[in-house]
């Protein structure tokens, strides 16, 4: 029996032997399926005859998301396509979808119908918002805005709700298999993208990343500053890191919330190059990362 503490055990694939079939298009579903593939699942994706829109507007992203995933074109609106789908579902453990409930019902894939025909099958349904709001149209930007994560007119730097939803969906696949191991029959689990945005927004709701919060700009040691030839992301939050940074900058004050400390540190950083700051960080063990301007 292998040692449970060995590195090989750490690389065990928790979804090995599990079959996941996805009908989900665009980003959250394929990203969740890719994570399932990384955890050892056998993954099949059925796409409509026109393909996944992601393949049209960003081919490199589509290719990265579908690495190692078997893809077949199937017209689920046709009798032949329905037969192909249900033949696959008979040997599938988890179905991953990202349709509105009304669209699933039109395809005969609402949970009551699906569960009656495939009682062992579980479904992870990605929706925009939970429950009765699942029919509402929306996208990553609207979910982030609803959660208070759009604070100006600039677009967020990445698709937080979609990628967070993908994490929750792959977690739901694991949960479904755990529940299946405890009881006979499949389970239905809903993953709402706005809930993933709400989860990511909790630090802001708690005040941590508000302007008055320590990691929202109020702490002088946790900010992004200009430097002589670019920028520097400083993360000297703990007292010992902050003290080392202040020593390097020859700042007597240790009150990292004081405006004078902010000003003194900004002035010092503005005169240092990226190379100088990186050398200081290595020598004094200060967490920072320099960036191009």
């Amino acid at each position: 029996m292998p040692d449970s503490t060995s590195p090989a055990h750490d690389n065990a694939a928790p979804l090995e032997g599990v079959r996941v079939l996805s009908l989900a298009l665009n980003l959250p579903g394929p990203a969740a399926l890719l994570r399932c593939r990384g955890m050892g699942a056998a993954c099949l994706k059925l796409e409509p005859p026109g393909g996944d829109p992601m393949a049209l507007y960003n081919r490199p992203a589509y290719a990265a998301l579908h690495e190692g995933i078997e893809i077949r074109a199937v017209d689920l609106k046709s009798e032949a396509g329905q037969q192909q789908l249900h033949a696959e579902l008979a040997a599938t453990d988890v179905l991953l979808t990202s349709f509105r409930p009304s669209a699933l019902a039109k395809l005969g894939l609402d949970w009551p119908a699906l569960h009656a025909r495939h009682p062992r099958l579980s479904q992870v349904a990605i929706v925009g918002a939970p429950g009765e709001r699942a029919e509402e149209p929306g996208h990553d930007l609207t979910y982030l805005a609803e959660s208070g994560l759009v604070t100006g007119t600039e677009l967020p730097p990445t698709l937080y709700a979609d990628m967070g939803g993908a994490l929750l969906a792959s977690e739901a696949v694991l949960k479904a298999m755990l529940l299946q191991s405890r009881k006979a029959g499949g389970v239905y689990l809903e993953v709402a993208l706005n809930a993933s945005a709400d989860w990511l927004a909790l630090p802001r709701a708690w005040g941590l990343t508000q302007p008055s919060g320590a990691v929202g700009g109020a702490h002088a040691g946790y900010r992004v500053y200009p430097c002589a030839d670019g920028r520097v992301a400083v993360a000297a939050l703990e007292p010992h890191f902050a003290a080392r940074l202040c020593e390097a900058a020859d700042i007597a004050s240790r009150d990292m919330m004081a405006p004078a400390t902010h000003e003194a540190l900004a002035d010092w950083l503005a005169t240092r190059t990226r190379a100088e700051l990186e050398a200081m960080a290595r020598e004094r063990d200060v967490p920072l990362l320099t960036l191009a301007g």
Side-chain angles (χ1 to χ4, degrees):
M1 181 176 294
D3 180 0
S4 63
T5 62
S6 68
H9 183 81
D10 292 339
N11 293 328
L15 291 178
E16 186 174 357
V18 173
R19 297 188 78 246
V20 179
L21 188 155
S22 179
L23 304 177
L25 307 177
N26 284 311
L27 182 56
L33 190 64
L34 184 63
R35 288 190 66 81
C36 291
R37 176 72 185 88
M39 289 186 281
C43 297
L44 169 65
K45 182 186 177 194
L46 301 184
E47 294 185 354
D52 189 322
M54 174 72 78
L56 301 177
Y57 60 77
N58 193 313
R59 190 70 194 182
Y62 176 86
L65 284 165
H66 294 84
E67 184 176 355
I69 307 296
E70 182 183 357
I71 301 172
R72 298 181 200 163
V74 176
D75 182 3
L76 297 182
K77 296 179 181 179
S78 70
E79 181 62 30
Q82 283 284 320
Q83 291 178 0
Q84 292 178 60
L85 170 63
H86 287 286
E88 291 295 339
L89 290 178
T92 293
D93 296 295
V94 182
L95 171 66
L96 186 63
T97 63
S98 63
F99 296 99
R100 299 187 200 186
S102 58
L104 285 173
K106 288 178 182 178
L107 293 171
L109 297 176
D110 54 290
W111 177 243
L114 195 62
H115 188 53
R117 188 164 181 174
H118 303 284
R120 287 186 57 257
L121 178 71
S122 288
Q123 181 183 7
V124 172
I126 300 172
V127 295
E132 295 180 357
R133 294 187 59 196
E135 290 292 337
E136 294 180 8
H139 247 303
D140 185 276
L141 183 59
T142 56
Y143 306 135
L144 294 182
E146 182 181 352
S147 297
L149 294 178
V150 179
T151 57
T153 57
E154 295 293 326
L155 290 174
T158 190
L159 300 174
Y160 292 107
D162 284 353
M163 296 304 284
L167 291 175
L168 292 183
S170 59
E171 177 184 276
V173 172
L174 290 168
K175 182 179 179 180
M177 296 311 301
L178 179 60
L179 292 173
Q180 281 186 32
S181 71
R182 296 178 178 176
K183 60 183 279 295
V187 296
Y188 174 85
L189 298 172
E190 184 180 80
V191 173
L193 297 179
N194 74 339
S196 78
D198 286 344
W199 173 254
L200 295 175
L202 281 176
R204 186 170 180 81
W206 295 330
L208 290 171
T209 60
Q210 296 285 355
S212 60
V215 292
H219 188 289
Y222 198 93
R223 297 197 64 158
V224 179
Y225 292 92
C227 63
D229 56 351
R231 295 171 294 153
V232 55
V234 180
L237 187 62
E238 291 82 355
H240 59 286
F241 288 139
R244 293 171 193 166
L245 179 62
C246 287
E247 288 168 3
D250 195 23
I251 299 172
S253 172
R254 295 297 184 268
D255 182 358
M256 303 304 286
M257 311 298 275
T261 307
H262 280 258
E263 184 178 351
L265 187 56
D267 289 345
W268 181 78
L269 291 168
T271 66
R272 265 55 185 182
T273 66
R274 294 175 63 189
E276 289 172 332
L277 290 171
E278 289 167 1
M280 180 278 293
R282 288 192 297 269
E283 179 183 345
R284 295 178 180 265
D285 191 30
V286 174
L288 61 77
L289 182 72
T290 66
L291 305 160

